[in-house]
Amino acid sequence: MSVSVSSKITSLQYILMNSGLQVSVFFLALPRILAEQAGTDGWISLLIGWMITVAASLIVVKIMAKYPEGTLLDLLTHYGGKWAGRTAAVCLLLYLFYFGYSCLVQTAMITKEWLLPQTSAYMIILLLLIPTYIVAISGIRIIGRYAEIVTLVSLWIPLVYLLPLKESHWLHLLPIAGEGWQPIGAGVPYSLYCFLGFVSTFIFYPFLQNKSQASMAITVSNSLTLLAHLFVTIVCYVYFSPDEIREYNEPAINVLKIIEFKFIERIEVIFIAFYLLVFSLGWIPALYICAYCTNWLRNTQAERNHVRFFCVLLAIGSFFFIPNFHQNERIEQIFLRLGILIEYILPIFLLIYISVHDRYSGRKRV
């Protein structure tokens, strides 16, 4: 499917969209999850996860460089035939639809818990779907501009996290690797969970104005994600004790409850209200990619209708079933394994297949 000039995105827009997919609602519980697996050495697991993610992302970029004017679906159709592309479209559609659904549901549950306790989660999802539809139908370029605006208005959030450091205890981080490397290794798969989302490169790559900067852009994007997760995780580690941090579902929110100003009493409420914009970067690009996949499968130019379909599907599905926190955690365990398979393992085999195919075809032509 050809890419029009009006749909081109800048490297900055790509960086912010990809990082937005990664730094979504999942980061609120990340310090607790890493503490349960690796103790206060969870930040080391994050660094290892970042290195693995950068390597996997560069593999994805190298794959897309083989077919720069098309998405993964076009590439697989070129190398494996029509059904290979269609199979990839369906798998990517299902994967990212659940990705967006999970972000949306968790956002609704957190909003209900902290902001609107008297409002049903279903009604919150309906309210969130209205701006989602407006932005998603506008195309990838508008989504990129939306990501820029969200980033700009959210720059104050890291500054708020500096305030709890006045009551921090840096000795909580010591000794480093005190229990050995086995707990750190156990935390690495969970650190990979917070980097899931770079699979968007398979679709966004042909939209980049300057494809020579793709490797740099994906590395910067993953590095921004690392800085965000690492900063919040360390703040929680040095404020809460190693045992206390495991008592909170979202320690990234609880750590803000100690902050008080004369003109505002509960800073965490304002934080969540503003962070809803950042949360939206988790499901809006995901739904757009889902619409792109169905549009590609039907060979049409009606992405708006497909976005409308997915929004209605989410609204109807949420009416009948919304998982609670415990059910959501069990589902996330499955999603973690699936995400590692799709975003980390399959690209390696795909690169090997393409390399062997190109080498064999070159020899055959000779």
Side-chain angles (χ1 to χ4, degrees), residues 63 133 152 162 205 258 280:
I63 291 172
Y133 172 74
L152 184 63
L162 294 175
Y205 183 86
I258 67 159
S280 67

Side-chain angles (χ1 to χ4, degrees), residues 338-353:
L338 184 63
I340 292 176
L341 173 65
I342 292 177
E343 301 201 34
Y344 290 91
I345 298 177
L346 288 183
I348 297 175
F349 290 101
L350 181 58
L351 179 62
I352 294 174
Y353 170 76

